Amino acid sequence: ISVHDGLMLFPDLHSRVTVFNAEDDTLVAHLGEDPLTYKQPDWPNLPKDDYRDNRFSSPHGVCADSKGDVYVTERIADGHVAKLRRIR
């Protein structure tokens, strides 16, 4: 879990990063959601051909830097780190 600029970021094993408002716990967004991925029989160790651009498979860690950019690590066979650049 990471808290930055009024937002709570959760690595969600339903193949997404979930963002909540830190003050009232309301849902803000799901990032990189791929609802079919975590339902596959070999998940999270899927063949590389099953991964889709701009979607998560198995996010396990999340943090934000001072600029608000978000870094997500995934638990997959060869590991993965994604940077989501904040656009204001």
Side-chain angles (χ1 to χ4, degrees):
I1 299 172
S2 181
V3 178
H4 180 77
D5 200 21
L7 299 174
M8 291 186 296
L9 306 162
F10 290 84
D12 187 333
L13 291 180
H14 285 177
S15 301
R16 62 190 178 200
V17 171
T18 300
V19 182
F20 291 100
N21 181 307
E23 291 190 23
D24 62 11
D25 297 336
T26 56
L27 178 65
V28 174
H30 292 299
L31 307 176
E33 185 170 23
D34 194 349
L36 300 178
T37 298
Y38 71 93
K39 296 176 183 176
Q40 294 185 42
D42 293 332
W43 178 87
N45 295 312
L46 302 173
K48 285 189 176 196
D49 292 344
D50 288 354
Y51 296 124
R52 298 183 325 151
D53 290 339
N54 302 312
R55 300 286 184 259
F56 293 118
S57 174
S58 182
H60 262 59
V62 64
C63 65
D65 65 18
S66 61
K67 297 176 186 175
D69 295 338
V70 175
Y71 298 84
V72 180
T73 59
E74 293 195 79
R75 181 186 172 265
I76 56 178
D78 58 352
H80 182 248
V81 177
K83 177 181 179 182
L84 307 176
R85 190 170 50 94
R86 183 171 187 170
I87 300 172
R88 296 179 193 224

